[in-house]
């Protein structure tokens, strides 16, 4: 999530002069894991997200600035370094992965997952240089498109990428945030939730993902990642469900005319990679970042007392790969919701679980509307990087797509 402060700007001529002076004093280079860790951690501490007064929420990456991008074979982290003092004043993270589309096209897409700039060096062109540098890296590695996410009401962020960097809106989504402690854990006896072995889960997803406008081609890698807790299917006992039969009959698996109702879902445990933390701050600082774009609004959802939550790190679960079929999906989605809450409760320091669905996803209308749930409007943006892209593919991505798969590694 890109979060950019909306403070007033200096006059245009002054800003241009400041940008020119800053450009000659800064080097954009690749992150050095041996010598940059402490400086990056300091930069991120100084770039905390905060409220208007004394509380701020930031990501505790548990000492590893690369923790959010190590899941991808092709990843990079670039830093902006002052030539004189060697101080780091900005970072950006990028990855590349292969995705498929509903039309059957295969694309190589670059994702901007993290952009942070020191408060002192904002509005001086540092962010633009970092964005340009990571886009150049993506092009060198064969990416055809770049992609990022930001909140719908963040006008400054949208202006940065649409006006200055030529990105266009790709999709609108909703992030659902559910506090674990506020949800009843009872699941109806009429419903069975069955864990699926990983090979069967891969087979199911390889077929059901074809109904999505955009989806990753390495679902097997995602499911085998250590942060993936598992895959389950929820269905009605009276109807039964033979999943292996459905895998062997592809037409039945992806047909909406099946008489049985069922929902498949997977859970990702972010607690093992990084956590969120709430802190008091003498001066509110703002964060320029694409990482964990729900966290600015997590704190009000936690229903935690201020004194008990400050300075404590806490994790969350991410629900992904949700796919449903049949006419009676409401109760099945509710059972999935309560089951995930149970899983999170058993993980000790997990406070919330989160999922994200596109506006065109049929299951978005079946998300349980509990009293404690919070919804955040999210926007995805894209930009064509290659001049050799098929025109038909370009038309697919330049229009709004609604039913997309949200990769847990991107969140």
């Amino acid at each position: 999530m890109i979060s950019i402060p909306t403070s007033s700007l200096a006059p245009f001529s002054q800003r241009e002069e400041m940008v020119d002076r800053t450009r000659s004093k800064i080097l954009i280079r690749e992150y050095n894991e041996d010598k940059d860790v402490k400086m990056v951690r300091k930069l991120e501490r100084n770039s905390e997200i905060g409220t208007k007064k004394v509380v701020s929420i930031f990501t505790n990456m548990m000492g590893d600035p690369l923790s959010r991008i190590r899941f991808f074979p092709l990843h990079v982290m670039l830093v902006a370094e002052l030539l004189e003092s060697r101080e780091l004043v900005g970072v950006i993270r990028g990855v590349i992965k292969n995705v498929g589309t509903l039309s059957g096209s295969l694309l190589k897409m670059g994702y901007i997952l993290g952009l942070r700039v020191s408060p002192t060096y904002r509005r001086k062109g540092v962010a633009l240089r970092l964005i340009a540098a990571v886009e150049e890296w993506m092009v060198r590695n064969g990416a055809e498109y770049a992609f990022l996410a930001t909140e719908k009401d963040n006008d400054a962020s949208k202006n940065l990428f649409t006006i200055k960097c030529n990105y266009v809106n790709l999709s609108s989504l909703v992030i659902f945030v559910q506090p674990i402690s506020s949800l009843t854990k009872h699941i109806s006896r009429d419903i069975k939730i069955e864990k699926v072995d990983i090979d069967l889960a891969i087979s199911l997803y390889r077929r059901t993902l074809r109904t999505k406008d955009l989806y990753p081609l390495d679902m097997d890698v995602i499911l085998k990642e250590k942060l993936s807790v598992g895959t389950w299917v929820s269905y009605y006992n009276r109807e039964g469900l033979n999943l292996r039969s459905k895998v062997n009959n592809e037409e039945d698996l992806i047909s909406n005319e099946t008489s049985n109702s069922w929902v498949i879902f997977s859970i990702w445990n972010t607690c093992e990679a990084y956590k969120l933390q709430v802190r008091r701050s003498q001066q509110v600082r703002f964060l320029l970042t694409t990482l964990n774009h729900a966290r600015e609004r997590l704190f009000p959802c936690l229903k935690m007392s201020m004194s008990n939550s400050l300075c404590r790190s806490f994790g969350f679960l991410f629900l992904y790969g949700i796919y449903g079929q049949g006419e009676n999906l409401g109760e099945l989605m509710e059972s999935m919701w309560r089951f995930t809450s149970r899983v999170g409760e058993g993980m000790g320091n997990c406070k919330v679980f989160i999922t994200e669905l596109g506006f065109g996803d049929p299951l978005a209308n079946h998300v349980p509307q509990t009293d404690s749930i919070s919804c955040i409007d999210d926007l995805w943006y894209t930009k064509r990087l290659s001049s050799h892209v098929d025109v038909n593919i370009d038309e697919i991505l330049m229009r709004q797509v609604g039913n997309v798969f949200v990769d847990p590694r991107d969140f």
Side-chain angles (χ1 to χ4, degrees):
M1 175 63 58
I2 307 299
S3 180
I4 300 175
T6 56
S7 58
S8 59
L9 299 177
F12 181 78
S13 59
Q14 294 180 22
R15 297 203 309 270
E16 290 298 301
E17 184 179 350
M18 288 188 294
V19 167
D20 290 338
R21 288 202 305 265
T22 303
R23 183 179 291 115
S24 62
K25 297 179 181 179
I26 290 180
L27 170 69
I28 306 297
R29 62 169 175 82
E30 192 164 341
Y31 168 76
N32 186 316
E33 196 166 359
D34 294 327
K35 71 175 185 177
D36 292 338
V37 174
K38 290 184 179 180
M39 284 192 286
V40 168
R41 290 172 65 183
K42 178 182 177 181
L43 169 64
E44 291 176 341
R45 283 197 304 269
N46 291 334
S47 302
E48 298 166 5
I49 291 180
T51 66
K52 294 181 179 180
K53 295 186 178 179
V54 296
V55 178
S56 60
I57 300 178
F58 74 104
T59 304
N60 180 352
M61 293 193 181
M62 301 161 73
D64 182 11
L66 294 174
S67 62
R68 295 302 297 132
I69 60 177
R70 290 188 187 276
F71 306 115
F72 301 90
L74 274 176
H75 63 262
V76 72
M77 180 171 170
L78 303 176
V79 298
E81 181 184 52
L82 294 179
L83 291 174
E84 291 185 2
S85 64
R86 299 300 178 188
E87 177 187 358
L88 299 185
V89 296
V91 298
I92 192 167
R93 297 166 175 87
V95 303
I96 295 176
K97 64 181 180 181
N98 296 311
V99 301
T101 71
L102 184 62
S103 65
S105 302
L106 306 180
L107 302 175
K108 199 169 186 179
M109 295 192 74
Y111 286 62
I112 297 177
L113 294 179
L115 172 59
R116 304 186 180 191
V117 175
S118 170
T120 307
Y121 283 86
R122 294 190 183 132
R123 312 294 185 186
K124 297 181 180 180
V126 176
L128 289 174
R129 288 193 62 190
L130 285 167
I131 294 169
V134 80
E135 288 177 351
E136 290 173 5
W137 172 82
M138 291 174 179
V139 171
R140 288 197 304 271
N141 286 276
E144 299 161 296
Y145 289 87
F147 163 91
L148 58 93
T150 187
E151 282 190 19
K152 184 178 180 179
D153 59 1
N154 193 327
D155 293 332
S157 173
K158 292 187 292 185
N159 289 340
L160 170 65
F161 284 97
T162 58
I163 297 175
K164 295 185 178 181
C165 300
N166 299 317
Y167 281 76
V168 296
N169 184 225
L170 173 65
S171 186
S172 298
L173 301 93
V174 179
I175 301 169
F176 299 93
V177 184
Q178 176 66 60
I180 286 173
S181 60
S182 64
L183 196 63
T184 176
K185 311 301 187 294
H186 173 72
I187 297 174
S188 171
R189 293 183 179 180
D190 296 332
I191 293 175
K192 182 173 183 179
I193 297 180
E194 180 180 343
K195 190 166 186 178
V196 178
D197 68 69
I198 195 164
D199 291 331
L200 181 55
I202 291 171
S203 297
L204 285 167
Y205 276 123
R206 279 179 175 166
R207 288 160 172 78
T208 57
L209 284 179
R210 297 176 192 174
T211 66
K212 300 286 187 179
D213 291 321
L214 284 176
Y215 59 89
L217 295 179
D218 60 345
M219 191 65 186
D220 56 331
V221 174
I222 298 174
L223 293 172
K224 292 177 180 178
E225 169 59 46
K226 65 179 181 179
L227 298 188
S228 189
V229 180
T231 299
W232 291 264
V233 172
S234 176
Y235 60 93
Y236 294 99
N237 281 315
R238 65 179 181 273
E239 294 181 350
L241 190 66
N242 187 338
L243 287 174
R244 294 194 181 276
S245 173
K246 285 184 173 295
V247 168
N248 293 330
N249 186 350
E250 182 175 338
E251 290 185 2
D252 178 52
L253 179 67
I254 61 176
S255 170
N256 289 324
E257 298 178 359
T258 179
S259 58
N260 294 344
S261 297
W262 57 284
V263 172
I264 185 173
F265 61 95
S266 298
I267 299 176
W268 186 267
N269 180 15
T270 68
C271 305
E272 299 300 321
Y274 64 92
K275 296 182 179 181
L276 305 180
Q277 188 168 350
V278 181
R279 281 186 177 178
R280 292 190 184 276
S281 178
Q282 294 297 325
Q283 178 181 0
V284 176
R285 307 176 184 95
F286 293 88
L287 178 63
L288 177 59
T289 177
T290 58
L291 286 177
N292 307 321
H293 36 282
R295 68 175 173 269
E296 290 184 79
R297 307 206 185 158
L298 285 181
F299 184 74
C301 305
L302 297 180
K303 309 299 182 183
M304 299 162 57
S305 67
M306 188 73 72
S307 59
N308 290 335
S309 60
L310 287 173
C311 300
R312 289 185 181 181
S313 296
F314 55 90
F316 65 91
L317 300 180
F318 187 75
L319 264 174
Y320 73 98
I322 305 173
Y323 174 86
Q325 199 174 98
E327 296 181 356
N328 303 309
L329 297 177
E331 289 186 57
L332 297 180
M333 287 287 286
E334 186 171 342
S335 71
M336 174 196 73
W337 217 245
R338 295 180 177 182
F339 177 84
T340 305
S341 185
R342 279 186 186 179
V343 174
E345 194 172 55
M347 291 185 174
N349 204 24
C350 183
K351 299 298 182 184
V352 300
F353 66 86
I354 300 172
T355 194
E356 184 170 14
L357 297 173
F359 72 92
D361 192 318
L363 292 184
N365 295 325
H366 296 287
V367 171
Q369 296 302 306
T370 67
D371 293 337
S372 55
I373 198 171
S374 178
C375 300
I376 303 169
D377 291 326
D378 199 23
L379 294 177
W380 286 8
Y381 287 88
T382 191
K383 174 182 179 178
R384 180 158 57 90
L385 299 176
S386 172
S387 59
H388 304 293
V389 177
D390 188 316
V391 175
N392 293 326
I393 297 176
D394 208 36
E395 289 179 355
I396 293 172
L397 290 184
M398 291 306 112
R399 64 175 173 82
Q400 283 256 323
V401 294
N403 187 6
V404 297
F405 177 93
V406 179
D407 192 328
R409 300 169 297 181
D410 298 343
F411 198 84

